[in-house]
Amino acid sequence: MYKNSERFITAFNRIEKEIKALLIKKEMGFSRAVRVLRDSNAIIKRYTDDLLEFAELRNAIVHNKIDMAFAIAEPHDTVVERIERIEQELTRPRKVDPLFIRKVISFQQNEPMTNMLEVINHKGITKFPVYNDDEFQGLITHKGITKWLAKGMQDGTVPLLDTKLKEILQCEKNDNYKFISRDTSVYEAMEIFKKQIGKGYRLEALLITGKGNSQEKLLGIVTNWDIMEI
């Protein structure tokens, strides 16, 4: 059976190899590389503190090793399990495909509001891509529907349930969604949501296509609640 120190060093070496592959300057030290890459790699950013601590522990194990068969420090089981989990995330990251690939209910812009309300009532879904034939028009959410109702009350008009969805779409922000490719990692998707919050507004959903283009077939959807559950 492998010792914890052996398992730790093996996982660390794999992480180091993966990080060096991402570098332009290959001679950069591990800790420096982590700090450089955290701004461009969502997984490294998430685990920066862990990776820097692992580097210190690696140095303690390697430099203080008494002989080939005995390490002066044996990492705790939880430490070994964590570094192996992070190594797996870096080398084989979870992607939105297949986690969030699913049939997405969408509508045509000239459909009546009643069609959408029926789906909301029976399925509890509140985010719907809207198209004009095959051309994406926008994303309708419960926020847009509420704003549409409030606007009708303010104008003194009675919102009609046969109103076309393209009119509801006018009450939505046109930046409440982003398209991503099916190869996007879960942590990259998480970072997209976080960055938009940092800019002062919240995305309602990420729409998945093959290469992240709105002209492609819609393959799935990721909501902020989905990311929270992950």
Side-chain angles (χ1 to χ4, degrees):
M1 181 177 292
Y2 291 107
K3 296 179 181 179
N4 279 358
S5 57
E6 294 171 335
R7 288 174 56 192
F8 179 90
I9 294 299
T10 298
F12 186 93
N13 288 341
R14 288 173 179 164
I15 290 173
E16 187 170 36
K17 181 180 179 181
E18 187 70 21
I19 286 177
K20 283 189 174 182
L22 299 173
L23 290 171
I24 297 175
K25 297 181 179 180
K26 306 297 183 182
E27 70 277 6
M28 190 179 297
F30 181 86
S31 296
R32 173 64 177 159
V34 169
R35 293 187 176 95
V36 168
L37 292 171
R38 65 185 173 187
D39 293 331
S40 59
N41 187 293
I43 302 175
I44 292 176
K45 181 177 181 179
R46 179 173 179 81
Y47 294 117
T48 293
D49 292 341
D50 293 281
L51 293 171
L52 294 176
E53 289 178 6
F54 292 154
E56 293 182 7
L57 181 53
R58 185 277 305 266
N59 291 340
I61 293 173
V62 173
H63 298 319
N64 295 322
K65 199 167 186 180
I66 295 175
D67 56 44
M68 292 300 293
F70 182 74
I72 198 168
E74 284 293 330
H76 192 274
D77 290 347
T78 56
V79 174
V80 175
E81 290 167 2
R82 184 161 182 79
I83 193 173
E84 289 177 340
R85 186 164 62 250
I86 294 174
E87 181 253 321
Q88 183 174 2
E89 290 284 5
L90 275 168
T91 58
R92 301 181 296 280
R94 289 178 293 170
K95 297 182 182 295
V96 294
D97 179 8
L99 276 176
F100 300 110
I101 298 299
R102 58 196 175 193
K103 182 179 179 180
V104 182
I105 298 177
S106 61
F107 292 93
Q108 290 293 312
Q109 65 174 6
N110 287 321
E111 288 188 65
M113 179 65 179
T114 48
N115 289 6
M116 185 173 289
L117 291 176
E118 185 175 354
V119 173
I120 292 174
N121 182 45
H122 287 92
K123 296 185 177 295
I125 302 171
T126 58
K127 295 176 175 59
F128 303 97
V130 177
Y131 288 82
N132 180 19
D133 292 329
D134 294 330
E135 185 177 350
F136 180 77
Q137 299 298 304
L139 183 73
I140 289 181
T141 70
H142 62 289
K143 292 181 180 179
I145 296 172
T146 302
K147 187 175 180 180
W148 167 70
L149 290 170
K151 186 175 182 296
M153 292 180 61
Q154 185 178 21
D155 295 343
T157 60
V158 179
L160 300 176
L161 295 183
D162 60 354
T163 299
K164 305 300 182 186
L165 292 179
K166 62 183 178 181
E167 296 182 42
I168 315 297
L169 201 54
Q170 295 175 5
C171 294
E172 288 284 1
K173 294 182 178 180
N174 58 11
D175 55 2
N176 65 349
Y177 63 89
K178 277 188 179 296
F179 279 89
I180 60 173
S181 75
R182 68 191 307 163
D183 291 327
T184 303
S185 75
V186 170
Y187 288 114
E188 287 173 324
M190 188 182 301
E191 278 300 306
I192 293 173
F193 279 112
K194 290 171 65 176
K195 283 181 180 179
Q196 297 308 120
I197 292 176
K199 293 178 181 179
Y201 65 95
R202 192 174 86 171
L203 286 177
E204 294 295 331
L206 300 176
L207 304 173
I208 306 169
T209 61
K211 296 182 179 179
N213 298 322
S214 62
Q215 297 85 2
E216 298 176 293
K217 179 182 177 182
L218 192 59
L219 303 176
I221 186 170
V222 186
T223 70
N224 34 40
W225 288 107
D226 292 329
I227 287 294
M228 289 175 64
E229 290 178 358
I230 291 293

